[in-house]
Amino acid sequence: MDKKKKNSMDFGEFVDVFGNVIERCPLIAAKKKTQRPFSDLEDLKKHFFAFIDALPQKSQEGILRCHPDLAGSELRRGTLTAESQREQSAAGLTSLGADERLRLAELNAQYRARFGFPFVLAARFSDRAAVSRELARRLLCPSAQELRTALGEVKKIGSLRLADLLRADPAKL
Ligand code: GUN
């Protein structure tokens, strides 16, 4: 996507393109539109992530709660966003056996009960065994640390999605 095109997009177009960089949080893209122009991918990333960092803790937890469970009911019902579907698929979560699915569902439920938000992991960097392992490990972490870890994963997911969006356009930055 060339810089001129990105910066000349109207509001609706910008939110359509960047609205799911942070899962189901188009408001963040909408806010970023008002801060254009951006010089490059790093600049765009910096703006998205500074917005998240500046939020109060309750709102940061709200961002996490916009994420579906990994290998959860939304995947079964086919109601994931296209991005989440691709990422969960890349980690092999769309082809789990019944036992693996049950184990992940139990761990996801324990995690939610403990922290009040779903387990978020940049699934594209992972595989099905690593997802369960990491979930079991993070379940034991202190709450403040876990919030920081989870937000770090949101940023990794956002970085990958932004990079995809800009790569998809041959006249990128
Ligand atoms: N990692 C990558 N995508 C997702 C998602 O949609 N949900 C969760 N929980 N983690 C993810």
Side-chain angles (χ1 to χ4, degrees):
M1 179 164 319
D2 73 61
K3 189 172 163 190
K4 188 150 168 274
K5 168 142 183 262
K6 178 158 59 65
N7 289 331
S8 68
M9 281 194 282
D10 70 21
F11 188 81
E13 215 183 330
F14 186 89
V15 176
D16 274 352
V17 172
F18 292 102
N20 210 47
V21 165
I22 307 300
E23 180 76 13
R24 289 178 173 152
C25 295
L27 187 68
I28 301 181
K31 174 72 176 130
K32 291 303 106 190
K33 164 72 177 162
T34 66
Q35 294 173 347
R36 76 197 173 93
F38 305 103
S39 50
D40 55 18
L41 172 59
E42 284 309 310
D43 189 35
L44 194 51
K45 268 167 40 176
K46 205 173 68 196
H47 275 83
F48 268 85
F49 301 162
F51 181 93
I52 295 173
D53 290 338
L55 289 172
Q57 182 176 328
K58 286 278 165 239
S59 306
Q60 292 177 333
E61 290 172 358
I63 289 179
L64 295 171
R65 280 195 286 273
C66 289
H67 289 70
D69 278 347
L70 289 174
S73 58
E74 290 217 49
L75 188 149
R76 272 198 311 286
R77 288 201 303 268
T79 57
L80 291 171
T81 61
E83 292 86 350
S84 183
Q85 176 74 38
R86 260 198 310 276
E87 290 154 4
Q88 298 203 38
S89 185
L93 299 177
T94 47
S95 51
L96 295 180
D99 286 354
E100 284 174 301
R101 215 174 26 242
L102 195 62
R103 160 115 177 110
L104 259 188
E106 280 167 4
L107 289 170
N108 272 326
Q110 285 175 37
Y111 183 98
R112 243 180 220 275
R114 169 148 159 67
F115 297 112
F117 48 78
F119 174 70
V120 177
L121 176 79
R124 250 198 286 180
F125 288 137
S126 212
D127 59 42
R128 53 219 276 182
V131 169
S132 289
R133 222 175 26 244
E134 189 60 4
L135 180 37
R137 186 191 70 76
R138 282 173 47 189
L139 200 41
L140 304 175
C141 290
S143 298
Q145 179 186 324
E146 189 48 29
L147 177 64
R148 281 195 302 277
T149 303
L151 290 172
E153 295 298 314
V154 168
K155 292 178 187 174
K156 283 186 210 165
I157 295 166
S159 292
L160 291 167
R161 290 180 181 183
L162 275 173
D164 282 348
L165 284 169
L166 298 175
R167 201 180 303 117
D169 194 313
K172 65 185 178 194
L173 294 164

